[in-house]
Amino acid sequence: MTTVAEFIERNREQLIARYAEEASRAESARGLSQHELIDTFPEYLSTLANISRQGHRGDPVKTKTRLEETHIGQRVRLGFNQEEVTGEYVVMGRLISALWEALPLQEQPSPEDTQLLFEELRGAMDQVVATFSGYTADDRQREKRFLRRLDALSSEVIGNSERSIPLHERLGALLEVVQEAMRAEGAGLLLADPSGKLLIPTMYTGRWRERVETEPVPVDSPSFLAELARSEEPLALADAVSAGPTVAEGIRRSGLRSLLGLRLWPHGKLLGVLYIGVSEIRPFEPQARRYLETLVEYLSGIIEKALLLQQLRQTNERLRKSETLYRLATEAISDVIWDWNLQTDTVAWSGAVEKLFGHAREELGGHISGWYDAIHPEDRERIVHGIHAAIASGEQRWRNEYRFLHRDGSYVYVIDHGLIERDASGKAVRMVGAMQDITARKAASEALRVSEDRLRLAVRAADLGTWDFNPVTGVLRWDERCRALFGLSQEEEVTYDAFLAGIHPEDRERTHAAVQRALQLGSGGDYDSEFRPLWRKDPGEHWLRSTGRAVFEGGRAVRFIGTVQDISDRKRRHSEAQHRAEFAEQLIGIVSHDLRNPLNAITLSVAALMRQEDLSDRQAKGLARISASTERATRMIRDLLDFTRVRLGGGIPIERRSLDLHALCGQVAEEVRLAHPDREVEVVRSGQGMGEWDGDRLAQVLTNLMNNALAYSPQGSPVRVETRGEDGAVLLRVHNGGTPISPELLPHLFEPMRRGSHAGEGASRSIGLGLFIVDNIVRAHGGTVEVRSTEADGTTFTVRLPRRAP
């Protein structure tokens, strides 16, 4: 397979001759010598051959770039235009590739080799374009990117043909794209009125978000905008501040200095003007002017199409209303249809006038004066003057709201509109219209206004800031309070990227993820995030909570609104409370642990003393009381240690081994009887009692439940303890009679520091951790504990323990 380099070198002289012949055909080549025609072509051929051998690297590439710059510069000096110079590189490619295109495939260069040749020639042509226009490949890519965004928004601007949203309400997104593309800080659009003599302020973005032109601008005035409308080329204004009355006062006050604008001129008719502004005084480079021309040309097509469709909708709407007026009347709709003969001043009413206003048609009379008399005195002059002014001024329709007399003497709110029919000379001869009762709508509007006022007051009272984000255009708006909470001034613009940059780095990714989830279809649109702002200058750590909801249309989020609230105080209080609780729990653990040593010493000493044979009864009783008190203190310390383990996240440790719960229950019951010789503890067992449990921990459960039952039951009443084997588990029930546990306490019975209010003396010395420890030991074994307490049945604690670890 032959390389491109070999084809070039074998046919070098033939290529040079053919190139000279082709190049001489350009108009700018007339009168040039052979040397000037050929220029650097022989050296350029050698460089292309070297690149074919070595690839796109090394000295051949640098040499190629130098030769291209030399050739293009020479062509510029000789008067060639851009098309002629790019045509020369097209000729080069065509002549070289013609050397092998008729050969068999196996004798042609590889596709990679051929592709490399044409990439090099395309790069040369890009350099020609950049030299002649100053418009690089990057500029073109950037231009394509923003044109795609305009194209994506065009369907929303043009709108559904069934909808009738005013055009100016749909242009903001387009203008924001133009502003961003031009790297400007403000953009303005004025559309020409139907006569083409006035420029109507239509839409402003950026620093000009508030209208900077407050009145229409005459096209024949000496203003900068009028000059734009009359110019075929983009016009720049170096300093708007010093331009005086040729620019609007709003522009001068905005702080934007240099302006660049262009008229919208599709098909030779003035559509409007568009201009952008930047804050520094500077000239606009040729690329910016060309870029603006491209954007404006594209924008003109979108707006022109939208205007045509809007006119079509309006025409169809007028036609539809004209065709359906009498059909609506004959179908006895709720509207009152009237027909006014302007030549005789007679009026015909539809039957709905009685249904809506209680008047028989003959009661209003057949003359227009009957209508006038039914209008509220405070509205009469305005309405009569307005309808006659519409007739006299040549308008096609009239519309207004007023109060109309009901037959019961009250007044109802109506909306009234009519179409004016004119003869060939333009004289009004007839007017047909419809009157609709809007009293309920008025009441609802008033209620809505009151509700909105209340909402504004509530937002203000709650010290909330509000924000509104457009996910389609990327525009983010904050109210005054929202800016203050973030530490921004009212003049600073904010974007979503700036918002993320203003969040503490530890909170930024989490907040961004929450926003993205809310904007995903099917997420419900809810958003809730807490973060720390970086822009706040006041001392201390600040926390904000932002909540919101996304609105979806057509399968995507089109609006995202919400509120921001300062939760710094709440965060501080929560943190302080958490630190206090952790400190208290750690302190309890430390103290209870350190108390075990002296109590162990007391227990051992008492046991040694009680073994002496010469103790008197008084001494023996005193030592017994010391032993009982020490044992109770030891149990309390053990409960405190277990409580601390649970609260600090360690849980209660268990060591499983095989044991019989029946036997363990009998053993613990015997110990409890010895401690309470005056009370009866009944033990009942059934089924298989073997399982794998921590015997010491279950002894705690049994002891606590039995002591609890004894403490909360009347003296002389028995306590019943039952163990029953089942498939895979063993049930333990401890029952006592007496006053039931109050319903208010039941849901909180297993919480720490909770005790019943009817306990006896022994229970009054409890610290309220027994049932909390029971619950945690049972759950550590994978079991459950429940309680049922009624006046009739007494109180029963039921523990279910799986025989083995789950």
Side-chain angles (χ1 to χ4, degrees):
M1 185 171 286
T2 309
T3 65
V4 170
E6 291 171 332
F7 274 105
I8 291 175
E9 289 168 347
R10 285 204 302 260
N11 299 278
R12 176 185 177 84
E13 297 306 320
Q14 177 188 351
L15 287 172
I16 293 173
R18 290 290 306 278
Y19 172 76
E21 179 184 349
E22 295 271 357
S24 65
R25 295 173 184 172
E27 183 177 352
S28 300
R30 294 178 183 175
L32 295 183
S33 66
Q34 186 76 359
H35 174 73
E36 289 173 320
L37 278 175
I38 296 174
D39 192 31
T40 61
F41 184 58
E43 296 91 340
Y44 195 73
L45 283 175
S46 300
T47 303
L48 290 177
N50 288 333
I51 290 175
S52 172
R53 291 193 190 91
Q54 301 178 23
H56 190 80
R57 63 183 183 275
D59 291 336
V61 175
K62 295 179 182 179
T63 303
K64 171 182 172 293
T65 301
R66 177 181 56 78
L67 292 172
E68 288 169 352
E69 291 174 350
T70 301
H71 178 71
I72 296 169
Q74 188 251 26
R75 286 314 195 230
V76 170
R77 289 190 296 273
L78 291 174
F80 280 64
N81 60 33
Q82 175 181 307
E83 184 179 354
E84 290 171 334
V85 181
T86 55
E88 289 183 325
Y89 287 100
V90 173
V91 168
M92 292 181 195
R94 179 163 51 79
L95 292 176
I96 295 172
S97 62
L99 297 173
W100 63 73
E101 61 185 6
L103 297 176
L105 188 62
Q106 63 272 17
E107 298 180 20
Q108 297 183 16
S110 69
E112 293 79 12
D113 198 5
T114 305
Q115 180 66 22
L116 180 61
L117 168 67
F118 283 96
E119 284 178 358
E120 296 302 323
L121 292 174
R122 185 163 50 249
M125 287 187 279
D126 286 342
Q127 181 62 33
V128 173
V129 173
T131 301
F132 276 85
S133 67
Y135 213 55
T136 66
D138 287 342
D139 290 330
R140 290 198 298 277
Q141 291 302 107
R142 180 166 166 265
E143 177 184 279
K144 290 177 184 177
R145 185 168 63 253
F146 282 101
L147 289 180
R148 284 198 303 271
R149 288 179 59 183
L150 288 177
D151 188 59
L153 291 169
S154 63
S155 60
E156 297 183 14
V157 173
I158 293 171
N160 189 309
S161 60
E162 297 300 320
R163 301 172 63 193
S164 184
I165 301 175
L167 177 62
H168 68 274
E169 295 182 11
R170 293 176 268 149
L171 290 175
L174 284 175
L175 204 59
E176 286 169 351
V177 171
V178 173
Q179 177 188 322
E180 182 183 349
M182 296 300 298
R183 299 189 177 96
E185 296 163 79
L189 174 68
L190 294 86
L191 294 179
D193 73 340
S195 70
K197 297 180 179 179
L198 291 175
L199 297 173
I200 309 300
T202 304
M203 180 58 61
Y204 298 89
T205 62
R207 296 267 287 275
W208 294 338
R209 192 168 300 283
E210 301 298 328
R211 280 178 45 160
V212 291
E213 277 91 19
T214 57
E215 300 293 336
V217 179
V219 173
D220 58 359
S221 68
S223 69
F224 172 67
L225 296 181
E227 191 176 353
L228 281 181
R230 298 190 297 266
S231 173
E232 297 181 1
E233 301 292 333
L235 293 181
L237 186 62
D239 187 1
V241 174
S242 62
T246 59
V247 297
E249 183 181 355
I251 297 178
R252 297 197 298 272
R253 288 202 313 266
S254 71
L256 300 189
R257 308 294 292 271
S258 294
L259 309 180
L260 178 67
L262 182 64
R263 69 181 181 182
L264 284 70
W265 187 262
H267 310 299
K269 181 181 179 181
L270 180 65
L271 182 61
V273 298
L274 182 146
Y275 64 107
I276 54 100
V278 295
S279 57
E280 70 272 19
I281 300 177
R282 64 173 177 82
F284 291 94
E285 58 272 45
Q287 296 97 312
R289 293 170 179 267
R290 173 172 171 172
Y291 200 13
L292 182 63
E293 287 181 314
T294 302
L295 292 170
V296 167
E297 180 180 358
Y298 202 81
L299 186 64
S300 297
I302 295 173
I303 295 177
E304 184 183 34
K305 185 175 181 180
L307 286 172
L308 290 174
L309 287 176
Q310 180 171 281
Q311 293 171 5
L312 179 61
R313 282 195 294 267
Q314 292 171 349
T315 301
N316 289 339
E317 180 67 11
R318 286 196 297 268
L319 179 60
R320 185 187 65 81
K321 289 184 177 180
S322 176
E323 291 175 344
T324 58
L325 279 175
Y326 279 96
R327 180 180 61 82
L328 292 175
T330 58
E331 292 177 359
I333 62 170
S334 59
D335 290 2
V336 174
I337 307 298
W338 47 266
D339 190 342
W340 179 11
N341 187 324
L342 297 176
Q343 296 176 312
T344 63
D345 271 345
T346 57
V347 180
W349 298 88
S350 70
V353 71
E354 184 171 0
K355 178 181 178 182
L356 288 185
F357 308 127
H359 298 290
R361 282 183 280 186
E362 57 272 13
E363 288 178 349
L364 288 174
H367 195 268
I368 190 63
S369 58
W371 182 10
Y372 295 162
D373 291 341
I375 298 175
H376 193 287
E378 295 178 3
D379 301 334
R380 187 175 300 145
E381 182 179 354
R382 172 176 59 86
I383 297 302
V384 173
H385 175 76
I387 197 168
H388 282 282
I391 294 170
S393 63
E395 295 182 15
Q396 297 298 318
R397 64 182 304 160
W398 164 85
R399 183 182 183 276
N400 220 317
E401 293 182 15
Y402 56 92
R403 288 164 288 181
F404 193 79
L405 180 66
H406 195 279
R407 194 171 188 277
D408 63 9
S410 64
Y411 282 90
V412 296
Y413 283 92
V414 299
I415 184 170
D416 204 349
H417 47 87
L419 293 174
I420 303 170
E421 181 182 342
R422 301 180 183 276
D423 61 17
S425 64
K427 179 183 177 182
V429 295
R430 186 184 182 193
M431 191 170 181
V432 179
M435 185 189 302
Q436 185 180 17
D437 184 350
I438 60 168
T439 306
R441 189 193 309 171
K442 277 282 188 180
S445 297
E446 178 62 20
L448 179 61
R449 184 192 63 79
V450 172
S451 176
E452 289 175 345
D453 289 343
R454 288 175 180 168
L455 178 60
R456 280 192 289 270
L457 289 173
V459 169
R460 191 175 304 158
D463 202 21
L464 297 174
T466 61
W467 48 265
D468 190 339
F469 178 55
N470 187 328
V472 178
T473 64
V475 175
L476 176 61
R477 296 185 177 92
W478 287 355
D479 72 354
E480 182 178 347
R481 180 54 186 159
C482 187
R483 288 173 172 272
L485 288 172
F486 275 86
L488 284 180
S489 69
Q490 301 307 309
E491 292 75 25
E492 293 178 271
E493 275 199 78
V494 65
T495 63
Y496 180 72
D497 290 339
F499 156 69
L500 288 179
I503 294 177
H504 195 287
E506 295 177 3
D507 308 329
R508 190 173 297 150
E509 186 63 31
R510 171 173 49 81
T511 301
H512 177 63
V515 171
Q516 296 307 308
R517 281 195 302 272
L519 295 178
Q520 289 178 358
L521 187 64
S523 66
D526 291 329
Y527 162 71
D528 192 339
S529 182
E530 296 180 0
F531 48 80
R532 288 160 288 180
L534 298 177
W535 295 324
R536 294 278 289 270
K537 303 301 182 185
D538 37 333
E541 185 177 64
H542 296 277
W543 280 89
L544 299 179
R545 181 188 181 193
S546 181
T547 59
R549 170 162 291 192
V551 178
F552 295 87
E553 287 183 7
R556 65 173 177 173
V558 296
R559 194 177 185 193
F560 191 28
I561 56 178
T563 62
V564 177
Q565 184 180 21
D566 191 332
I567 59 170
S568 303
D569 289 341
R570 188 181 76 192
K571 279 281 189 179
R572 280 192 287 271
R573 289 194 299 269
H574 176 74
S575 178
E576 291 168 359
Q578 187 174 8
H579 288 320
R580 286 196 298 269
E582 290 175 355
F583 174 74
E585 291 169 1
Q586 291 171 357
L587 182 62
I588 289 173
I590 293 170
V591 171
S592 59
H593 182 274
D594 290 347
L595 283 175
R596 297 176 70 178
N597 291 331
L599 285 174
N600 287 337
I602 294 171
T603 300
L604 292 173
S605 298
V606 169
L609 289 172
M610 291 183 71
R611 285 194 295 270
Q612 296 182 10
E613 297 179 355
D614 56 347
L615 294 175
S616 64
D617 291 342
R618 183 176 181 183
Q619 289 173 329
K621 289 180 180 179
L623 289 173
R625 283 196 296 271
I626 293 172
S627 178
S629 297
T630 305
E631 182 183 352
R632 186 166 59 251
T634 301
R635 287 199 305 269
M636 293 169 65
I637 289 172
R638 182 185 61 196
D639 287 348
L640 284 171
L641 284 173
D642 287 341
F643 168 72
T644 304
R645 284 194 190 100
V646 172
R647 295 305 290 263
L648 294 180
I652 292 182
I654 62 171
E655 296 181 6
R656 294 178 182 269
R657 64 179 184 275
S658 180
L659 63 89
D660 187 340
L661 189 61
H662 294 326
L664 179 64
C665 183
Q667 177 185 337
V668 173
E670 185 60 32
E671 294 173 358
V672 170
R673 289 191 192 101
L674 291 174
H676 300 84
D678 56 336
R679 298 296 299 275
E680 179 185 353
V681 179
E682 178 186 358
V683 177
V684 179
R685 63 189 69 179
S686 62
Q688 175 60 251
M690 293 301 295
E692 294 180 357
W693 303 295
D694 188 322
D696 292 337
R697 288 300 186 183
L698 290 188
Q700 277 183 264
V701 171
L702 289 163
T703 302
N704 282 341
L705 289 178
M706 291 182 194
N707 284 334
N708 190 69
L710 291 169
Y712 287 89
S713 60
Q715 288 289 336
S717 65
V719 169
R720 177 184 172 88
V721 180
E722 178 187 358
T723 52
R724 189 178 75 208
E726 295 182 345
D727 290 341
V730 178
L731 291 185
L732 164 67
R733 287 195 177 95
V734 180
H735 172 268
N736 64 272
T739 305
I741 302 170
S742 66
E744 295 80 11
L745 183 60
L746 275 174
H748 309 285
L749 201 60
F750 295 100
E751 296 175 5
M753 313 302 179
R754 291 281 186 172
R755 295 185 299 168
S757 58
H758 61 286
E761 181 184 357
S764 68
R765 292 191 293 272
S766 166
I767 58 175
L769 291 177
L771 293 179
F772 174 78
I773 300 300
V774 166
D775 180 55
N776 278 273
I777 291 175
V778 171
R779 285 196 285 112
H781 283 84
T784 60
V785 57
E786 299 175 350
V787 60
R788 185 174 183 272
S789 186
T790 65
E791 186 74 37
D793 299 329
T795 300
T796 302
F797 284 85
T798 302
V799 175
R800 186 181 186 280
L801 292 169
R803 294 184 188 273
R804 291 175 177 79

